[in-house]
Amino acid sequence: MAPTLVLLHGFTQTRQSWRLTLAELGGRRRALAPDLPGHGNAAARPASFAACTGYVRALGGERFALAGYSMGGRIALRAALTLGDHLDRLVLIGASAGIADPAERAARRAADDALADRIEAIGVEAFAR
């Protein structure tokens, strides 16, 4: 039997982002698409890399495949560093290990911090609109 597949959604999304993928799998393998901490039904859960990694590990079991889109891909990368012995495979969609150039990375971090401040000020719903 294939290992469990854990699917991680992107920022401001929920587990519902994977509903068509889950339907396509049609029960041929065990697949889970949780709401990540800070999102959907898990909005009240702490949203740190450590919390997300622990959550993924608890869902995945002893051996699992992990796929993530965008923010979920970044979380999957981080989880893979910690949980590599438990991973059967890793699939990343719209995610990378980051920006190699230090100046570009610093500029992106500043832009991300400004965006996070704006989202906190106006709320996620206004941001999504």
Side-chain angles (χ1 to χ4, degrees):
M1 180 170 180
T4 298
L5 172 61
V6 179
L7 301 162
L8 305 180
H9 61 76
F11 180 64
T12 74
Q13 297 177 346
T14 68
R15 68 184 184 277
Q16 293 302 316
S17 301
W18 294 105
R19 71 183 176 283
L20 296 176
T21 302
L22 293 170
E24 186 65 30
L25 288 171
R28 291 188 304 271
R29 75 179 299 164
R30 182 170 186 256
L32 304 171
D35 284 333
L36 287 168
H39 295 76
N41 291 331
R45 292 179 67 121
S48 66
F49 276 121
C52 290
T53 298
Y55 191 36
V56 166
R57 173 67 175 96
L59 290 169
E62 190 56 36
R63 191 106 181 118
F64 59 96
L66 184 57
Y69 165 70
S70 191
M71 177 197 76
R74 297 298 288 268
I75 291 168
L77 275 169
R78 176 61 179 229
L81 291 172
T82 304
L83 305 173
D85 291 343
H86 299 281
L87 288 184
D88 179 67
R89 67 192 59 206
L90 176 65
V91 178
L92 304 174
I93 306 162
S96 73
I99 300 169
D101 179 83
E104 289 179 26
R105 189 170 51 248
R108 174 62 183 265
R109 179 168 289 173
D112 286 352
D113 286 346
L115 179 60
D117 290 344
R118 179 171 176 259
I119 293 168
E120 287 179 352
I122 66 172
V124 173
E125 288 184 19
F127 168 74
R129 280 193 300 275

